[in-house]
Structures are given as structure tokens and as C-alpha cells.
Amino acid sequence: MVSQQQYVGQGEIGGDWETLYRMQRFVEKEATLLDNGEFREWLDLFCGNCEYWAPAARNQTDAETNVSLFYDTRETLETRVERLYHPMIHCQIPKSCTMRLLGNFVLVGDKRMDQKTRCISVRSKFIMLEDRPGVERRLFGGTYEHTLVENSDTGRLHIKMKKVILTNCDGVFPNLTQPL
Amino acid sequence: MPTDTGPKLDELVRNDRVHRSIYTDEDIFQLERTRIFRRVWLFVGHASQVANAGDYFTTELAGEPVVMTRDMEGYIHVLYNKCPHRGAKVVPIEYGNGKVLQCMYHGWAFRHNGRLAGVPLRRDFPESVLAEPCVAMNSLPRVDEYRGFVFASFNSEVMPLTDYLGDAAIGIDELVERSPVGKIELSGGCHRYTFEGNWKYQLENMADMYHPAATHASTVNDEGLQFKRRPGAKGGASPFFTETGEPLVSMSGQRGYPHGHSSEASLFADEQSGGEIWEEYRGQLVAAYGEDRTKELLRNRRHSMMIFPGLDILIAQTAVRVVKPKSVDRTEVLVYPARLVGAPDELNKEIIQYLNITHSAASFIQSDDLEAFERCHKGLKAGGTDWVLVARGLGQEKDEGNGVLFGDRSSEIGQRVQHYAWRSLMLEGMDGGQAHG
């Protein structure tokens, strides 16, 4: 069997294979829930003190001194998700259909789970199509940065922070109804 | 443009309805550029966007690229963003700072007041040409400022800015005085959204308290509560309906001002807020303005004040919105949070984060407004009737004096005065002032 070291440099994948694979599967599953419109199940992936953030400026360092396309804590994220199921969310009549393609996964920071906080960060690249009847196809792309936390009781992963950096984050947008 | 077969220009706006072509006709859009946008005062930007000597900020006015600068003596200028040599747009980025403004094409450089500062290989040019005053980055004919809000006009004959604003200036006063030192900054970035539709849908929407119950139904939960609208400990989800089932927001009044300005009365009083930070802020305001004025400011009498044809002072959101018509079919809108200088950081943070959920393209509110604008633009392609109604509350207005009309219960008076000002300007009358039809 080819060892990790021979196959690819440790630094390139940023951590060990198994950890990377586990995080990648989690993030891909999260993307699938969004593509399937399973927003409540998506919300369940987030922990209680979560943040969901898409900056509106390049190199934006925080969500406190500059506006963001999305900046949700648990409370507003719940409002966002429930609204997506509301029968009178006009900007989703008819509904959008999305498809995300993810790749270039890499562990960042310590490149492993912090034994004390049970947190780990993974970065990936994505491209997303959004189609909605009567609306021109839209294309989004950028970088996902997930900070995941492992529940010490259940062993399950949850999203502590999802940061979405669109390549055109400082651009002009038509309505953005789909969580990215 | 309506021709022999359609209504004439002076027939497009009636007292209670407007012709659909004012939203959809390309020739009318081009005429608006000349007769409206090139004749009145237009908001350019806020002085804080060029806070330091050498700063510049670029934008578009009536489709023309302009640059607002602050020169080395601290004066603000608004220049056509164009090199007088071969016409290249000089400043390509939104914000910057430099000793001069330099054209990339042949290297001509300009001072922040627009005057020519340097020409490479100068001796080959006739000095008489370079000495012509127009060989510069020319200033717009008129530039003026009201409490940090910089306006410009393409019209050298335009009336004084304070006359144009009239009583509507109180909208700016109320926003600025929310800062305990009477100073705001547009330093928190900007929401930028766009829609496939005419600019007037956005303008009308800024004087529309009739739409929220239907348009924003998805923001109200099963218990009839809307999401947390105010910052502070007490600023939780609030009831959306009265006991009789009428939407509270539709009970608020509207005002129409001369020159097409309009305001919406408020629903969300800041007295609903609470907590330590709020009390600290309130104390600062009392120290600065006294108890009476503080009460008045925080009673939050106005939801917004719209200065025709495209500046919206969002008093409830502590923000500034600017409408940029791009074509008859496309509009861009910028929404800046206003940082209240001197107020607690935590409060300014809440202003930014609240604006995210109300005015981002991804927000709970704006996304359905954008849907409404695009539906209007699609719907108005249909015949059947050529007229769009703005009749709500017609004849019920109270004259408050000074040309200000108050309309109760989500009256469409604000929209009517917009259209009356539009009609007056399009018919080339500069009096354009009457809020009355």
C-alpha cells in the first residue's frame, strides 16, 4: 500500500487522511442537504452558538464593523430557515433549484481536532448553480471555511462557523434567497 | 415615448393614476435623464467617504461617472471622472487616496480640485490648449453639502440646496442627531442589490406602508410576531397585527413634501429597546441634546425620508440608501449603515447586523421587495389597462403647511407627490414644487 507520505505531502492535504476524509464527507453532506432544499435538516447541523457568515467586502475581517451578505447567529438562522418554508415567501414562488460542486478540501489551522475545544477547520472550493423558472441561470463560486465541533457525548460533528467567501462578494446582487 | 397613438407626455400622470409607459418606455427613461436627473440636486456621497485630504470616492450620477474628492486644504469637490485629453475614465476604483489623480492612458495628472497638475512630454502640446479652463477634470456645475451629505447638480441654475430639501431636511437632521456628537460616518461598507425593473418601483416602495402585510408575510410567524426589529434587551419579536387584524404598519401615516420628497411614519419606536448599552446611549443623547429632544429623536417619528429622486434616509435602520437607475429595465441600489460617531460600539455593531437582515440582497425583507419590483416590471408589459393606481387616501390628506401633506393609514400620498414632481419636471417646469396634484 502506498503511504500517505509517498502519495501526497502531508502539508498539502493539511493533516491526516482519515480526518480530512471525515470532514470532507460532512461538508459534502451539508451541501447535499442545501441542494435538496432540506433546510431544517441543514439547520440541525449547526450548534447552538453558531455563526453563518458571507462577507460583503474583500478581505473583510469581521461582521461587526462592515455589513455582510449573510451574518446569522442561531436565532436569525432559525428565522431564515423557517421563512424558506413559509407559503408566502414570494421570492421563492417558484422555487430555486441549486447544485453545488465542491473540491480542493484542505484542513487549516492546527490541521487536526483541538483536544480541548474539539474544533477543527476545513476549507474547500465550491461552484454553485441556481436555476429558477423565469430567471436567468446564476453562477456563484468561492471558498467555504467550516469550523466544525465534535460533540463529546455523541461524537457527532456540528457546524460552529460556516464562512462563505464569494469571489464577487463585493458585487451587486439580485435577491439571494438560497443559503450559499 | 407615447406617440400619436398613445397619451402625450402631459397625460401620463393623473392625480390618482399613472400611465404604465413611465416604467417601461426607453425614450421616457432617456428624457428622465435630461429633464429630471440633470436638473435637480442629486446625492453624491457623504463627507465621511472622503474623510482625509487626498481621498476620493467614485460613483455615477445620471449614468455619468463622477469622482468626489477631498483636496489638500480639506475642501470637497465633485468632478466628472474623465480625462480631458482622450476621455479615459481616470479613477477606476471606488475608494482611494493619492497626491494626484492620474490617468492611466498617457499619464496626465490632476489635482483634487480637478486642475491639470502634469502632462508628460508637455512641450509638444500647444500651451494655449493646455491653458484652456476646460482642460481639467471639470467640476459639476453645482456642489453643496448639508450636514455632511454632499449633493451636486448638472444644472447651474438649480435652486439652492436648502430650498430644494425644504422641510424634508429634518430626515437628515434626525439621522445625524442620533449621534451624540451630531456626526455620522458611512464607514461600515455597503449592501448592493439590483433588480430587473424601473427605478420608480424602488422609489414608490420607500413611501409605501401598505405593502408589508402582503409582501413581507413570510417574516411573520404563526403567532403573528415579526422577527426582532429593534436592538437592545427589549427588542424582541413584536406583534404585526392590531387586535382587529389590521397590520400595524398600515396604520402609520405618510407625508408628501414639495419637490417629490416623501416620508413614512414609524412603527418601531426605539423606546422598545432596553438594556445597559441602550441606557448608556440614551444618557449620551440627553447630555448632548436635552431630555425633550432625546425623547423626540428616540420616539423615532419617521421610518424613512426619501429625497427625490433617489436618496433614502432610513431612520429606523440608521442607514442611507441610494437609488441608481441603470436603464429603463435595471436599477442598482446601495444601502450604507450609518455609524453613529460617539455612540457605544455595541450599538453601532447592532446597526450593522440589523441592516444585514433587512437590507442585504439576502435579507428577510429586501428579497421580497425585489421580487415585487420584478413582478411589477413583468406585469406592466401586459395590456388590459394602461394605468397604475396611486389613489389610496386621495382627498383625505391634511395640509400641514409649507407644502407638506399628511396622509393617514398608509396613504399613497408619498407616491403621488413623487409622480407630481416627475410630471412637473418632465414638462420642463422648474417650479416642480407643489405636492398638490
Side-chain angles (χ1 to χ4, degrees), chain B residues 403-425:
Chain B
V404 182
L405 296 177
F406 174 75
D408 205 2
R409 291 178 54 83
S410 58
S411 165
E412 287 168 343
I413 179 63
Q415 296 155 335
R416 285 194 288 279
V417 302
Q418 294 170 15
H419 291 302
Y420 301 161
W422 184 94
R423 174 175 62 191
S424 187
L425 287 161

Side-chain angles (χ1 to χ4, degrees), chain A residues 29-40:
Chain A
K29 178 183 151 200
E30 186 227 331
T32 303
L33 289 176
L34 286 172
D35 285 347
N36 291 346
E38 297 176 83
F39 300 112
R40 287 182 182 130

Side-chain angles (χ1 to χ4, degrees), chain B residues 343-360:
Chain B
D345 289 345
E346 185 66 21
L347 187 76
N348 281 311
K349 179 187 126 182
E350 283 181 345
I351 288 168
I352 282 177
Q353 297 191 341
Y354 177 47
L355 196 66
N356 291 338
I357 59 172
T358 57
H359 285 76
S360 159

Side-chain angles (χ1 to χ4, degrees), chain A residues 94-141:
Chain A
K95 280 188 193 305
S96 297
C97 178
T98 64
M99 189 286 303
R100 290 161 178 78
L101 191 63
L102 278 64
N104 299 28
F105 280 84
V106 63
L107 297 172
V108 293
D110 287 347
K111 301 176 174 58
R112 58 187 154 80
M113 189 165 285
D114 184 288
Q115 288 311 303
K116 207 163 132 208
T117 62
R118 311 299 293 166
C119 281
I120 184 164
S121 295
V122 57
R123 185 184 297 144
S124 54
K125 302 289 173 75
F126 77 100
I127 286 176
M128 176 180 130
L129 294 179
E130 179 180 356
D131 283 311
R132 185 177 170 225
V135 179
E136 212 167 299
R137 169 169 289 177
R138 293 170 64 188
L139 183 62
F140 301 87

Side-chain angles (χ1 to χ4, degrees), chain B residues 43-65:
Chain B
F43 175 69
V44 184
H46 189 268
S48 62
Q49 292 174 280
V50 287
N52 302 307
D55 280 356
Y56 49 83
F57 161 73
T58 62
T59 185
E60 269 187 17
L61 296 177
E64 299 191 28

